[in-house]
Amino acid sequence: MGFRMQRTLVCDRCGASIPADDEVTASFEFSRKFPGWEQVAGDRALCPECAPGYDLLIARHKVELEDYIAGA
């Protein structure tokens, strides 16, 4: 009996996963090889269901930073 190794891309938020047989070497390759998936914080991944919530969170954070700096 032999062993079969398989690489899997797993969402760091919800645990959803897809097979990922090829090695991804750069962040721009990540989104092309796995449509809808987003690489965040360098080594983390979010699935198509979780990525929009993260994008919204980052957008709100940027607005809060600008408001704070502007003294609003």
Side-chain angles (χ1 to χ4, degrees), residues 39-56:
Q39 185 175 10
V40 296
D43 64 343
R44 301 199 177 236
L46 294 174
C47 70
E49 296 293 321
C50 296
Y54 177 80
D55 293 337
L56 179 60

Side-chain angles (χ1 to χ4, degrees), residues 10-39:
V10 179
C11 177
D12 284 298
R13 184 168 186 267
C14 72
S17 63
I18 59 171
D21 292 333
D22 297 314
E23 183 174 334
V24 177
T25 57
S27 59
F28 64 88
E29 291 178 3
F30 186 91
S31 59
R32 188 175 66 220
K33 284 191 176 271
F34 309 108
W37 285 74
E38 189 171 329
Q39 185 175 10

